[in-house]
Amino acid sequence: MRKFPILPLIALLAAGLTTACENSRPLTEAELPAASQRFLSEHFPGVEISFAKVDTELFDKEYKVVFVTGSKVEFDRRGAWKEIDCKYGEVPSGIVPQPIRAYVEKHFPGRCIACLERDRRDYEIELDNGFELKFDLDFRLVDFDD
């Protein structure tokens, strides 16, 4: 009797379940979480949305909004912002924590913050010249990449 290898079968099944549970669909602005809608109206008033979508995975959701200007904002499942990328502009100063703004103004005069990302452990920014800085949750510089 011939034995069938079980490991490749399990791997194939797991891959199938993973892709079957991932889903992406377009949204209207009204379908975004209320927190996301408030954030957009406060910090990006009058900026036209090109498209919005939700990415649903097995246990998580992520929302993404792209503006006609090329800027984009990503939100977590509750509607809190995770990443703001203003490729051709500057992240609105009201979003950037004051200690980070002060650090950039002091050490990089004339530069603006083009990208801001936060997670449970830190904040990461990218300046308009490509220089990247990482701050801990107490806004102390912990790493940089030029």
Side-chain angles (χ1 to χ4, degrees):
M1 182 172 195
R2 196 173 156 190
K3 288 186 180 181
F4 188 75
I6 190 98
L7 191 58
L9 182 61
I10 291 172
L12 190 61
L13 186 61
L17 280 174
T18 302
T19 56
C21 295
E22 293 178 6
N23 188 12
S24 180
R25 69 177 178 86
L27 299 172
T28 64
E29 184 175 357
E31 293 175 294
L32 291 168
S36 299
Q37 292 178 39
R38 281 191 303 276
F39 179 86
L40 294 173
S41 65
E42 181 180 340
H43 296 289
F44 294 92
V47 181
E48 188 179 349
I49 293 175
S50 177
F51 71 88
K53 71 176 187 171
V54 59
D55 291 326
T56 306
E57 294 182 7
L58 191 57
F59 298 111
D60 201 15
K61 277 187 181 180
E62 183 176 272
Y63 298 89
K64 183 183 220 179
V65 175
V66 178
F67 298 102
V68 294
T69 59
S71 298
K72 66 181 177 185
V73 182
E74 293 182 18
F75 299 97
D76 66 16
R77 69 177 180 266
R78 294 179 310 276
W81 70 268
K82 291 173 39 174
E83 182 177 350
I84 303 158
D85 188 357
C86 298
K87 292 180 193 243
Y88 308 109
E90 181 174 4
V91 173
S93 62
I95 301 169
V96 180
Q98 204 290 323
I100 293 176
R101 270 197 332 263
Y103 186 91
V104 170
E105 289 170 2
K106 179 179 179 183
H107 297 281
F108 300 94
R111 292 289 169 200
C112 65
I113 298 172
C115 186
L116 173 64
E117 186 177 346
R118 74 174 174 189
D119 60 25
R120 293 175 290 154
R121 296 177 310 272
D122 55 36
Y123 288 86
E124 291 184 35
I125 66 168
E126 182 177 340
L127 302 178
D128 59 346
N129 63 356
F131 201 81
E132 297 177 6
L133 303 166
K134 184 185 284 191
F135 297 86
D136 65 13
L137 295 178
D138 293 323
F139 306 112
R140 294 180 299 235
L141 183 67
V142 294
D143 196 13
F144 63 90
D145 188 21
D146 55 346

